[in-house]
Amino acid sequence: MNLWNKLMCYSRRHSPWLFHMNGGSCNGCDIELIASLTPRYDAEQLGVRLEGSPRHADILCITGPITHNATNAIKTVYDQVCGPKAVIAIGSCPATTNVFIDSRTLEGPLSKHIPVDVFVPGCPPRPDAIIQGVAKAAEILAERAGKKQPVVPVVMPLVGPGCSGACACGASAEAKNEEVQA
Ligand code: SF4
């Protein structure tokens, strides 16, 4: 690896820029992602920054069960992120389509359409779990710089209860947590 690539690896590891896309979520995961950037959790102390354009981002954060309408937009945005790049599936929806599994408007899970590097489980995941997922993705990104590597998805451990009952799916938190524990 030449000096330029080493410098790029260091920068990406210590200052990952994120682009967030909603693939049809109930907004529960989106709120937790924003919470992770607030002073209380303070992801910015790790150099994490939310970007307005995928062309400036290193990591694509996707929430929601991936609706028909969102599918092409997600593929386009994925292509717009310059390589090397990493993808984080935030919440149980992009990983499995979760409580929306029987909906005919869905084309999820996300891994059917683009390679996913890190899955952060939870419905919604806690902000600290999201920060752990971003740190893992930054690590993957730094290793990936300058070489071609196959995507080996990492599933992060569940932090706190799987379901906080905060989303709009209508299922009770107790029932969903029993399902997660089973
Ligand atoms: S249902 Fe749960 S996992 Fe899906 S978007 Fe809402 S909070 Fe996130």
Side-chain angles (χ1 to χ4, degrees), residues 22 24-30 32 63-65 90-100 120-125 162-170 176:
N22 181 326
S25 93
C26 74
N27 282 343
C29 290
D30 310 78
E32 299 301 325
T63 57
I90 296 181
S92 304
C93 279
T96 63
T97 68
N98 200 10
V99 289
F100 305 108
V120 181
C123 180
C163 171
S164 66
C167 80
C169 74
K176 281 166 66 185

Side-chain angles (χ1 to χ4, degrees), residues 18 27 36 42 64 103 120 165 169 172:
L18 315 181
N27 282 343
S36 72
D42 199 15
S103 170
V120 181
C169 74
S172 81

Side-chain angles (χ1 to χ4, degrees), residues 54-130:
R55 295 181 202 279
H56 300 161
D58 306 301
I59 299 175
L60 190 54
C61 299
I62 305 204
T63 57
I66 318 304
T67 59
H68 177 71
N69 285 349
T71 306
N72 283 342
I74 286 172
K75 287 184 195 162
T76 306
V77 165
Y78 176 78
D79 290 339
Q80 286 173 344
V81 179
C82 301
K85 54 191 160 190
V87 176
I88 309 179
I90 296 181
S92 304
C93 279
T96 63
T97 68
N98 200 10
V99 289
F100 305 108
I101 194 162
D102 293 326
S103 170
R104 62 199 154 109
T105 64
L106 294 188
E107 295 202 14
L110 178 62
S111 49
K112 261 170 60 184
H113 307 289
I114 58 173
V116 179
D117 296 283
V118 179
F119 289 94
V120 181
C123 180
R126 289 178 52 85
D128 32 356
I130 295 174

